[in-house]
Amino acid sequence: MPPALAVRLTCQACTRRKVKCDKKSPCTNCVKHGISCVAVERPRWPRGRSGKQAISREQDLSNRVAKLEQIIEDFTHSKRGTEDVSSSRGDTTIPRSGRAPKPPSERVQTTEELFPPQPSVILQSTDTRDDALGSGFANNTTRRERHTENHPELPSEPVRRRILVDIFLRQVDPVLKILHRPSLCAYLLEGKPYLDYAPGHPVPAALASAVFYMASSSLAEDQCLALLAERKETVLARYNDETMTALARVDFLVTNHLTVLQAFVLSLVAARTHDHSRKVWTMLSVALRIAQALSLHMTDPPFPVTPFEREMRRRLWHLIGWLDLEASLNRGSESMMRSAWIQTHSLTNINDDDFGFDSEDPLPAAQSGPTEATLLILFAHGQCALRALDLSHFAEPGITDIHMRQQTVDHFRRTTKELLAGCDPENVPFHWFTSQIQEQISAVLQLIALRPLQRSPTFVPAELPAPQMLALAADILERRQRMFSDPRAQPWCWFELLYFPWHALVVAMTEVCVCTDRWVIDRYWHTLERSYDLFQKQAVGTHYDWLSASMDSLMSNARAARQKVVDSDSTGLQAPSSHIYMDMASLEGPALSESLPSVPDATLAAEELTQLQDQEVSAWAQYGDFTDRFYELHAIFDGGLS
């Protein structure tokens, strides 16, 4: 008997609201109420069976799920008495932060309602052990992947949440180091109270929802199908709605809880991976204002904080600063934070196991090798340097002298290389990933130092050959493509979605327009074409959409210039001239620093010197014209939408 064909059924939102769905894409009800419409497409269940699966294998799965639910119910009842006692005590206990928990009448949803107090019990069941991450992430070819096209094995909600916690700890927590891993594991995996919150408090429940949302956003589509037996779109919609509801319950806009702000920031990062509208960019400013209301920008807040709270406050503040800077680079807008707000909040290079909620001053001394906080400290150095190179003069004056700008870049390289001393990129994938991020930030800093995002009348660009600038800009694009296509970067590929280096693409295309070295152009042309195609795919319907016209025009000019060089090259492909070309493998280190003085090399002939100066003036003029159009369009676009 051939398998039944999939048909479009009532969407998830209409099913939850129990209203009739017209089954359009999106349906009329979802459009009317402004909510996400998640389509449901599957074969219809046999009529007369109330939707029950009629296959013996599916019946076996149903029996196993029932057994699992019985285990959870028995365990919950066994702990109910002790939890009620501790809950009654917790309602009269003031947490160390000075905020009393809400009384029982105000509790809308408890942690136990979100997930069982001790999901690890699930893994001890003989029937479900290998269905619930018993074999780990390295061997996910277990029963979770044994599903047919029409009847996937759906894990129960407790198992699903346990899977998402493990995903968060592996794919998100190492990059976004704003949560204390031991405390989070004790709460989500062992059923213990979170920090000093009373059992059932809605604030930790909001954090849990944000963790699930962020974990699901870090999954690739095939990963989501293999682990959760659902499409990523469906999973994201579910936990996005849950997180927004949980944040609304705790009044996140006027909160005094650091945990709520942590949950809000995680939800913004999760949304940024799939929502490329202005929403996240706008809401980041809200997160910054909430952080200032909590005095995160103050080195010494006007109220006592424990060593644990101080370190977690600084971590969150640094991440908000990095997201603010990343958002400003994405949109070509001004950053809202000042360098001093980051520089005065130094982080301690220690692991989460080195301190805890009850730790006292002083915290353990910073380690010399890599720790769990190393990448966040790397981001801190990077954003301080980027803010210093910003020429918008919005939050603070930027550095205009080309030599001082180069010194800023060199200082970042020296500092971060010392920070990463002791890394083992050959054997530890996350060490390799951190090293790649350091090299990527270093290259971006170098490019912005030479080709700033903003025009300034007091900035005089360095006289560099077109092949050298083209190599620098294209290397950023090539390095990024190479990094995220490496299997070692698979757990953290979601990080690529937060930012596209359009600035490097613009500089590379403007340099192609003036470069006369066919060897160099052809060396990087495939990278430029691929990056441009990726930009076009990301630009449709996003905040890059309004930039597409200018990018299309620039790419057309670059293609025409390349064709002109090819047509005029009668000698064919040759190695680049040693007089004006810098070795492409030498983009790091002092090579660019040594080329910065405005007096060119005396070995250049007069004709070559004139050609170099003409090319540089032409490239700088084209880049300047583009940035002028860029900010003019940016002002018109934002003004028209506001």
Side-chain angles (χ1 to χ4, degrees), residues 139-159:
N139 300 293
N140 279 323
T141 56
T142 56
R143 296 185 190 178
R144 284 190 304 276
E145 294 182 348
R146 297 184 313 168
H147 57 272
T148 64
E149 180 179 354
N150 295 330
H151 300 285
E153 293 185 4
L154 291 175
S156 63
E157 190 61 20
V159 175

Side-chain angles (χ1 to χ4, degrees), residues 175-430:
V175 180
L176 306 180
K177 202 73 200 78
I178 62 173
L179 300 180
H180 188 245
R181 178 180 44 77
S183 301
L184 187 69
C185 290
Y187 172 55
L188 294 180
L189 302 181
E190 301 173 23
K192 297 179 180 179
Y194 186 66
L195 303 180
D196 60 347
Y197 287 97
H201 201 286
V203 166
L207 178 63
S209 298
V211 166
F212 301 144
Y213 180 30
M214 184 65 234
S216 60
S217 71
S218 72
L219 289 171
E221 185 66 40
D222 57 346
Q223 211 182 357
C224 196
L225 288 172
L227 293 173
L228 304 178
E230 283 187 306
R231 296 187 60 186
K232 182 177 178 179
E233 179 186 14
T234 303
V235 178
L236 281 176
R238 177 188 302 117
Y239 291 112
N240 178 31
D241 292 344
E242 179 181 304
T243 302
M244 296 303 102
T245 301
L247 288 173
R249 286 190 180 117
V250 294
D251 294 330
F252 74 97
L253 289 176
V254 293
T255 185
N256 290 323
H257 295 259
L258 183 70
T259 302
V260 173
L261 182 56
Q262 289 171 327
F264 181 45
V265 171
L266 283 178
S267 71
L268 291 181
V269 179
R272 183 68 183 85
T273 62
H274 62 92
D275 182 354
H276 298 285
S277 66
R278 293 194 308 164
K279 174 184 174 182
V280 178
W281 179 66
T282 303
M283 296 305 289
L284 268 175
S285 61
V286 177
L288 175 60
R289 294 298 180 232
I290 296 174
Q292 289 179 307
L294 297 180
S295 302
L296 262 63
H297 62 296
M298 297 183 180
T299 308
D300 297 311
F303 47 83
V305 295
T306 66
F308 175 85
E309 291 172 334
R310 181 177 65 243
E311 191 66 21
M312 301 312 297
R313 286 165 60 88
R314 290 183 177 183
R315 288 186 181 186
L316 181 57
W317 181 243
H318 276 266
L319 181 63
I320 292 174
W322 179 256
L323 295 176
D324 166 54
L325 188 62
E326 201 169 52
S328 68
L329 290 175
N330 262 318
R331 297 191 59 86
S333 60
E334 298 84 4
S335 171
M336 296 180 294
M337 292 180 62
R338 301 177 181 177
S339 299
W341 290 356
I342 300 298
Q343 294 169 345
T344 57
H345 290 65
S346 59
L347 295 170
T348 309
N349 192 32
I350 56 177
N351 292 308
D352 284 358
D353 290 331
D354 296 332
F355 71 109
F357 183 69
D358 296 322
S359 296
E360 298 180 356
D361 273 328
L363 290 179
Q367 299 183 20
S368 56
T371 69
E372 293 172 318
T374 298
L375 182 58
L376 190 58
I377 297 175
L378 175 66
F379 288 155
H381 289 299
Q383 63 174 306
C384 287
L386 279 167
R387 294 179 195 283
L389 298 176
D390 180 19
L391 295 183
S392 66
H393 307 299
F394 179 72
E396 55 194 329
I399 300 174
T400 57
D401 180 76
I402 189 64
H403 297 278
M404 294 182 64
R405 292 174 71 85
Q406 186 60 43
Q407 290 173 10
T408 301
V409 178
D410 293 339
H411 180 265
F412 170 82
R413 287 181 177 142
R414 289 193 304 269
T415 304
T416 52
K417 285 184 177 179
E418 292 174 0
L419 179 67
L420 299 182
C423 277
D424 187 11
E426 297 297 326
N427 299 308
V428 182
F430 192 70

Side-chain angles (χ1 to χ4, degrees), residues 109-149:
Q109 186 175 20
T110 65
T111 307
E112 289 79 11
E113 292 170 333
L114 283 172
F115 44 87
Q118 199 166 359
S120 57
V121 173
I122 298 172
L123 305 183
Q124 298 170 6
S125 171
T126 303
D127 293 336
T128 59
R129 184 178 296 116
D130 52 359
D131 278 334
L133 286 181
S135 56
F137 285 92
N139 300 293
N140 279 323
T141 56
T142 56
R143 296 185 190 178
R144 284 190 304 276
E145 294 182 348
R146 297 184 313 168
H147 57 272
T148 64
E149 180 179 354

